[in-house]
Amino acid sequence: MTGLTARQGWMGLLAAADPGALAARLAALGELPAFEWLRAPEVGGVMVRGRAGGTGAPFNLGEMTVTRCSLRLTTGEVGHAYVQGRDKAHAERAALVDALMQGPQAAALREAVLVPLARMRSAARAARAAKAAATKVDFFTMVRGED
């Protein structure tokens, strides 16, 4: 996996993570490094686009509220985050992890924060799939004995 796709993966995971779970994982790390804001958390809106059938012409589906921010660690790494909703603390934590993942402690941070969050996401998806599978109806056609 290239550096760009790896970063896209962890940024997507952080943006979709449960804010409480992310906060708990970061709190378990102890004292976090100092940083300066490049762009303090701010709430805004983005236009969500869709495609009919997934391949048709694009259309504007509607607007969604997002919070974004950017920060720089004292060691120079820059972190960015866009999260759905108005949770400024969630955006700050996501940007902080993004910045830390670009430094020398990336492997330890991956094991302490990203892997558990990925497991939580997989478990939530499996639970949602199991709930949906419980409502599945199998239709079948009986073959009559006539020729």
Side-chain angles (χ1 to χ4, degrees), residues 10-73:
W10 79 60
M11 289 182 81
L13 177 64
L14 292 167
D18 175 61
L22 179 56
R25 289 283 161 201
L26 282 178
L29 295 177
E31 188 165 340
L32 298 172
F35 63 86
E36 65 175 319
W37 289 116
L38 298 176
R39 178 184 308 250
E42 57 188 7
V43 177
V46 295
M47 180 60 67
V48 178
R49 302 204 66 188
R51 289 185 180 268
T55 58
F59 64 94
N60 291 335
L61 185 63
E63 291 186 4
M64 179 176 80
T65 304
V66 296
T67 303
R68 69 178 181 175
C69 68
S70 297
L71 54 81
R72 180 181 307 135
L73 300 179

Side-chain angles (χ1 to χ4, degrees), residues 120-132:
M120 287 179 207
R121 179 174 65 180
S122 294
R125 285 181 177 173
R128 189 170 53 241
K131 187 175 179 182

